[in-house]
Amino acid sequence: MTQKVTRAICRWCHADCRVQVHSEKGKLVKLAEDPTDPRVDEILPRTRGCPRHLMAKEYIYHPDRIKFPLKRVGGRGDNNWQQISWAQALDEIADKLGALREKYGAETLMTTHGTARTTSWTGPRFMNLFGSPNTVSPGTICYGPSVGVGAAQLGWPQQYRGDVTIDFDEKGEPLTKCIIITGMTISEAYPRLWKTARDGKKKGLKIIVVDPRQTKTTDLADIWLRVRPGTDTALFMSMINVIIEKELYDKAFVDKWCYGFAEIAERAREYPPEVAEKITSVPAEKIREAAVIYATNTPGLSPHGMGMEQLENSIDAMQARLILAAIVGNIDVKGGDYMTGVPAGTPIPAAGPNLELADLLSDEQKAKQIGAGSFKLLSHPGRELIWSQNKNMWSGRAQLRAYAHYPMVIHAMANGKPYPVKAAISVFSNPMVTQANTKMVYKALKNTELYVVKDFWLTPSAQLADYVLPSACWAERPNVEPFGGGVALIGGETALSAIVPGEHEYYTEYDFYRGLGMRLGQDEHWRWETLDAFYDERLKPLGVTLPEFMEKQDGIFFPEREYKKYEKMNGFATPTGKLELSSKIFEMLGYDPLPKFEEPKESPISRPDLAEKYPLSLITGGRIQPYYHSEHRQIESIRKMRPNPVAQINPNTAKKLGIDNGDWMWIETPRGVIKQQCEYNPGLDESVVHGEHGWWLPEQPGQEPWLHGVWESNINVLVDDDPARCNERSGGWPLKTALCRVYKVKEY
Ligand SMILES: Nc1nc2c(c(=O)[nH]1)N[C@H]1C(S)=C(S)[C@@H](COP(=O)(O)OP(=O)(O)OC[C@H]3O[C@@H](n4cnc5c(=O)[nH]c(N)nc54)[C@H](O)[C@@H]3O)O[C@H]1N2
Ligand SMILES: Nc1nc2c(c(=O)[nH]1)N[C@H]1C(S)=C(S)[C@@H](COP(=O)(O)OP(=O)(O)OC[C@H]3O[C@@H](n4cnc5c(=O)[nH]c(N)nc54)[C@H](O)[C@@H]3O)O[C@H]1N2
Ligand code: SF4
Ligand SMILES: [Mo]
């Protein structure tokens, strides 16, 4: 039998590589590199270099993968399941949702979505049509903040995320002269940026890294700024101060295109390097040196990661970093911080947010969004305001998602306030492991009248569900994905059989939400019977169907880049029409228009009382290979590479506590205690501990109290979700700052 070769997009991480899938009768034979992926050279040979790919068969054909819909039998958390058909599952879930909507109102349904690895827009679309504003997402602490800040100040949701790469000219010289990487482990998390940054460095690219922890990324840096956790705003404000004082900023650009220079200059005067040194622990001289290198090596690129998104002071830090990039003239220039948008009039396929139909949710329901009154930037109030500014300039692409506040929704589920949230759906999301304050998440999920999980595995979250539904993975469905910052698209076709009667019935997220929507009166909005049919429609502006897109264009859409688009568009899509160094949108929402540093609310400085018992600072979740968040712990060959959760600590601190490299240690915060294995990191500040996230233990029993070991090493047991500690504008919860203590696990 001949093998079929299909080009599909791997979504086991955000690199979204396109790969060739060799199959026989719909079953995987092997994966190979796809030379028609234009980004193929940006990663080392994937089939050899990527651990997740090496185990593809083990994953896809794993005996524990959920193969048919399951319905709970007995008590919640008993790990007792009955196999049912998809029709029964969808009928029953839709019936229950309808009844709960009658009883409590549509807002009683919340959905949790995880990080982008499938059609993220399907859930919000269903929710908007169902009538609930309570979609929550890690987006609030994962690039939602930078999208919000970019949309407010630039008029375009600039995403300084890891799908940026260093570009090179025809001679192989880097177009970017300097990159400042903040709070990002690119070696583990962003393979393409990692590869191009290393190539660039060989050709003179200057690299500045801001991170409290020594990593492979800091090892690559020309200058490593080892900030005290949570203090990035002060560092960037100080760099702005130096650049303005030394008059190294781009005067022509600032005069012509920016609003609020005098205001930011005045605010930055509060942060001379000597003051910033006291706050950040970065020596004043190093701050000066970094500022000068950054300002004199333009164009520069300034990607950041979770080390900035997940701070209590995140929004201010992002504002300051954006202002830094703006005043040296890096915005939207070749080799700089490119604004990925396409000006109005360019034919492009509809993007995720536009597919969510947020405008069909009534104002009355929007007003019920939990947390929107407290945290306005990323919820409906901010979205409406920003959208009203920029919808005409950017082909309708610069739309923000509007999230309810995740912790406050969880609290509503647990406590019934401000109103009962009694139904929940988790799709590609594992809140018992990835959301802050696991004990509260547990209480919330236990208190639901209906909980549905759609995943590949019986995760700790799934163990608390009433229905668990099987899912098609990337190879079993088509994917059309943005890359290059959001506008370029790459397509992939279905390579393997999702449905094999008697063996497995994997549905896509689209099938699932459409199935519910059709049963709940949303027929007209789900007119495409399949995801393929939907993609055919989505690609219409390009004049092709998905198969034609693959065949005629190699599945690539890459619009010509246009730089300095503000010249052509005569400004920025902001209230003043300028790039706002002082933000009118923030002002209209009732917030400070300028960035300012605030001490994390749980630090040795703000809480000396608590620091007596918990003297160390905990940062969490630095990415690790070969894992992706809470995934892959059941894949034997992957688990062998990294069998245990690891926490890093400076050897001097550990030795004082009698902890050896490799010992198990307890990590305790006011929220709880878990254990991880000690790894000495001599580059880590002596007062800081770093703990891995994503750990559950599939090998442990699924029923309560174990829930697959969710209480043993899961760092989110320790993380706070108190709204009082969340960022006051975005509501982001503090994943990177907490007080803790550690002690050795004694064997008895
Ligand atoms: N303490 C701490 N917590 C963190 C972080 C941190 O740094 N520190 N990082 C946060 C960040 S940035 C993020 S984005 C979140 C991520 O949080 P999540 O998105 O919840 O994490 P994952 O474990 O990637 O995915 C959850 C589930 O989705 C399933 N899944 C994967 N692909 C598919 C699919 O195609 N369809 C379906 N139906 N299911 C699928 C997986 O099997 C997995 O069980 O975690 C956050 N949590
Ligand atoms: N292998 C793998 N790849 C992944 C993922 C995965 O789980 N596994 N997850 C994907 C997802 S959803 C995301 S969001 C990205 C995230 O990837 P990154 O953005 O790279 O996030 P982290 O790995 O959490 O890196 C955060 C870094 O910030 C540092 N940090 C902690 N506190 C501070 C601080 O106060 N200031 C500064 N400046 N730095 C600080 C930490 O030490 C750490 O090195 O990775 C994506 N890629
Ligand atoms: S898991 Fe590997 S092959 Fe798949 S997208 Fe990520 S880097 Fe590419
Ligand atoms: Mo993320």
Side-chain angles (χ1 to χ4, degrees):
M1 163 115 196
T2 48
Q3 285 182 12
K4 191 173 161 199
V5 181
T6 319
R7 287 175 292 175
I9 298 174
C10 174
R11 310 224 24 212
W12 275 327
C13 88
H14 286 173
D16 289 339
C17 306
R18 196 167 61 198
V19 290
Q20 292 192 348
V21 183
H22 293 242
S23 62
E24 257 177 37
K25 291 191 184 157
K27 290 224 159 171
L28 177 62
V29 177
K30 65 169 186 182
L31 298 175
E33 226 161 90
D34 177 16
T36 63
D37 182 340
R39 309 157 304 173
V40 71
D41 293 333
E42 289 171 6
I43 315 194
L44 298 170
R46 289 165 202 154
T47 39
R48 274 171 286 147
C50 172
R52 292 186 282 277
H53 251 204
L54 292 170
M55 59 74 201
K57 266 194 200 161
E58 219 179 319
Y59 187 110
I60 292 173
Y61 301 111
H62 199 284
D64 293 349
R65 188 166 166 194
I66 304 159
K67 304 197 170 53
F68 299 95
L70 301 175
K71 180 179 177 180
R72 169 165 74 81
V73 183
R76 199 185 280 279
D78 286 355
N79 193 16
N80 220 336
W81 305 97
Q82 171 198 1
Q83 183 181 319
I84 58 172
S85 70
W86 266 103
Q88 183 187 344
L90 291 169
D91 285 345
E92 289 185 12
I93 295 166
D95 274 357
K96 286 179 189 171
L97 285 175
L100 288 167
R101 178 164 60 180
E102 282 285 300
K103 190 168 164 195
Y104 300 109
E107 61 278 10
T108 203
L109 173 62
M110 65 88 80
T111 50
T112 76
H113 295 127
T115 187
R117 50 249 307 260
T118 172
T119 47
S120 312
W121 54 273
T122 45
R125 183 183 184 98
F126 171 79
M127 287 290 273
N128 287 326
L129 296 169
F130 184 79
S132 174
N134 289 326
T135 297
V136 301
S137 154
T140 307
I141 44 84
C142 179
Y143 292 117
S146 56
V147 168
V149 169
Q153 300 197 220
L154 292 174
W156 170 254
Q158 175 71 302
Q159 296 190 26
Y160 293 90
R161 54 184 301 167
D163 59 2
V164 296
T165 50
I166 305 290
D167 292 330
F168 298 84
D169 66 14
E170 311 78 54
K171 293 196 205 109
E173 295 298 319
L175 293 168
T176 302
K177 302 294 171 224
C178 176
I179 182 170
I180 179 160
I181 303 171
T182 308
M184 216 180 184
T185 49
I186 59 170
S187 62
E188 313 305 301
Y190 291 109
R192 292 213 307 276
L193 180 55
W194 174 238
K195 165 86 165 58
T196 55
R198 282 189 298 165
D199 291 349
K201 168 129 184 172
K202 289 180 205 140
K203 302 257 176 162
L205 169 73
K206 296 261 186 299
I207 303 182
I208 304 171
V209 177
V210 187
D211 199 306
R213 184 171 68 112
Q214 185 177 5
T215 63
K216 283 188 208 159
T217 315
T218 61
D219 289 346
L220 188 69
D222 296 291
I223 300 190
W224 169 25
L225 303 172
R226 197 175 76 173
V227 278
R228 182 168 70 87
T231 64
D232 298 58
T233 307
L235 176 74
F236 291 128
M237 288 303 278
S238 190
M239 288 176 71
I240 294 171
N241 171 306
V242 173
I243 289 169
I244 295 179
E245 293 269 303
K246 291 188 185 289
E247 298 195 27
L248 294 174
Y249 61 97
D250 182 339
K251 286 200 189 74
F253 179 77
V254 167
D255 286 349
K256 182 147 191 215
W257 297 109
C258 298
Y259 165 83
F261 183 72
E263 288 87 337
I264 186 66
E266 191 186 332
R267 181 66 63 87
R269 273 200 283 280
E270 295 171 25
Y271 300 87
E274 280 68 25
V275 170
E277 172 175 336
K278 288 207 181 80
I279 301 173
T280 61
S281 2
V282 179
E285 267 326 297
K286 264 201 157 164
I287 299 178
R288 282 199 180 88
E289 190 191 350
V292 171
I293 288 183
Y294 179 72
T296 51
N297 288 276
T298 55
L301 198 59
S302 60
H304 74 261
M306 297 305 110
M308 192 144 92
E309 295 274 327
Q310 300 177 343
L311 303 180
E312 285 179 47
N313 199 211
S314 58
I315 297 297
D316 300 75
M318 251 161 267
Q319 276 184 289
R321 204 278 326 275
L322 188 146
I323 292 165
L324 186 65
I327 61 170
V328 300
N330 278 346
I331 299 291
D332 216 26
V333 296
K334 204 171 190 173
D337 288 314
Y338 178 61
M339 288 169 72
T340 52
V342 179
T346 316
I348 45 166
N354 276 0
L355 302 168
E356 292 170 11
L357 306 179
D359 293 340
L360 296 188
L361 184 67
S362 72
D363 287 345
E364 189 193 343
Q365 288 307 102
K366 280 181 186 160
K368 293 181 190 164
Q369 186 168 56
I370 293 178
S374 317
F375 307 112
K376 297 186 194 140
L377 180 62
L378 303 181
S379 54
H380 276 298
R383 177 195 173 273
E384 304 290 311
L385 189 57
I386 291 170
W387 183 224
S388 71
Q389 297 297 329
N390 63 26
K391 68 176 164 192
N392 296 328
M393 277 175 103
W394 289 106
S395 306
R397 293 289 297 261
Q399 195 177 359
L400 278 181
R401 292 207 170 111
Y403 302 121
H405 191 235
Y406 206 149
M408 284 170 83
V409 173
I410 292 288
H411 293 190
M413 293 164 78
N415 306 318
K417 286 184 196 128
Y419 51 75
V421 176
K422 286 295 193 182
I425 300 177
S426 290
V427 177
F428 63 100
S429 127
N430 188 4
M432 280 292 288
V433 183
T434 51
Q435 180 53 18
N437 196 355
T438 314
K439 287 179 191 167
M440 188 61 85
V441 176
Y442 170 78
K443 196 174 163 198
L445 294 176
K446 285 284 273 191
N447 203 25
T448 51
E449 290 181 29
L450 175 69
Y451 183 37
V452 179
V453 170
K454 186 170 186 294
D455 203 300
F456 304 128
W457 317 99
L458 276 168
T459 61
S461 308
Q463 288 291 0
L464 297 174
D466 301 289
Y467 296 88
V468 182
L469 306 172
S471 302
C473 78
W474 56 269
E476 295 149 346
R477 62 176 194 236
N479 291 276
V480 176
E481 273 310 297
F483 72 96
V487 172
L489 285 180
I490 183 156
E493 286 184 294
T494 305
L496 307 174
S497 308
I499 309 243
V500 179
E503 276 186 38
H504 53 74
E505 289 174 11
Y506 303 140
Y507 273 29
T508 64
E509 281 57 69
Y510 181 84
D511 298 332
F512 165 65
Y513 278 117
R514 179 175 189 270
L516 287 184
M518 297 295 281
R519 285 165 173 81
L520 286 161
Q522 305 175 2
D523 311 36
E524 62 170 311
H525 299 290
W526 299 98
R527 32 193 183 91
W528 313 282
E529 258 182 55
T530 59
L531 188 53
D532 283 279
F534 161 75
Y535 282 137
D536 288 347
E537 168 98 9
R538 183 179 184 183
L539 291 167
K540 254 190 188 158
L542 305 183
V544 286
T545 60
L546 179 55
E548 288 164 354
F549 184 50
M550 297 304 296
E551 202 184 313
K552 294 186 193 157
Q553 290 174 229
D554 274 338
I556 306 291
F557 168 65
F558 206 141
E560 185 92 1
R561 282 192 168 184
E562 283 185 65
Y563 298 97
K564 298 194 177 180
K565 290 181 280 293
Y566 44 83
E567 287 179 350
K568 180 173 162 192
M569 294 162 66
N570 209 12
F572 292 81
T574 58
T576 59
K578 301 221 165 168
L579 191 168
E580 295 188 357
L581 305 173
S582 172
S583 167
K584 286 282 173 204
I585 297 265
F586 281 121
E587 216 168 76
M588 288 183 224
L589 290 172
Y591 299 130
D592 188 344
L594 296 164
K596 79 169 168 290
F597 168 70
E598 276 182 39
E599 180 64 29
K601 293 184 199 73
E602 192 176 295
S603 83
I605 292 172
S606 57
R607 291 296 307 275
D609 55 323
L610 206 58
E612 277 178 29
K613 182 168 176 194
Y614 302 104
L616 302 171
S617 293
L618 177 68
I619 56 180
T620 74
R623 301 314 186 239
I624 44 172
Q625 289 290 3
Y627 294 116
Y628 196 82
H629 294 293
S630 72
E631 278 215 71
H632 303 106
R633 302 306 189 283
Q634 62 281 83
I635 311 299
E636 219 175 299
S637 58
I638 290 262
R639 185 70 180 273
K640 266 195 215 138
M641 296 178 193
R642 217 176 161 111
N644 296 321
V646 167
Q648 295 177 331
I649 186 167
N650 185 294
N652 296 335
T653 313
K655 279 175 197 158
K656 276 186 215 145
L657 297 164
I659 302 170
D660 283 331
N661 205 13
D663 278 351
W664 283 89
M665 61 186 188
W666 295 110
I667 312 174
E668 186 185 327
T669 71
R671 271 72 57 191
V673 59
I674 58 134
K675 63 175 182 186
Q676 298 202 350
Q677 215 175 358
C678 169
E679 180 183 274
Y680 284 178
N681 179 331
L684 195 60
D685 187 291
E686 292 192 12
S687 65
V688 177
V689 177
H690 174 267
E692 287 175 1
H693 81 306
W695 280 94
W696 60 290
L697 309 166
E699 65 275 17
Q700 286 198 13
Q703 66 271 28
E704 298 212 47
W706 295 272
L707 296 176
H708 296 298
V710 79
W711 307 111
E712 217 171 289
S713 297
N714 169 13
I715 205 87
N716 278 319
V717 169
L718 310 184
V719 174
D720 203 355
D721 70 339
D722 182 350
R725 279 197 62 205
C726 293
N727 180 278
E728 64 164 10
R729 296 186 261 183
S730 66
W733 43 98
L735 292 159
K736 299 288 195 256
T737 44
L739 286 172
C740 76
R741 63 176 179 149
V742 300
Y743 40 100
K744 189 171 161 160
V745 174
K746 298 211 175 90
E747 309 222 356
Y748 295 98

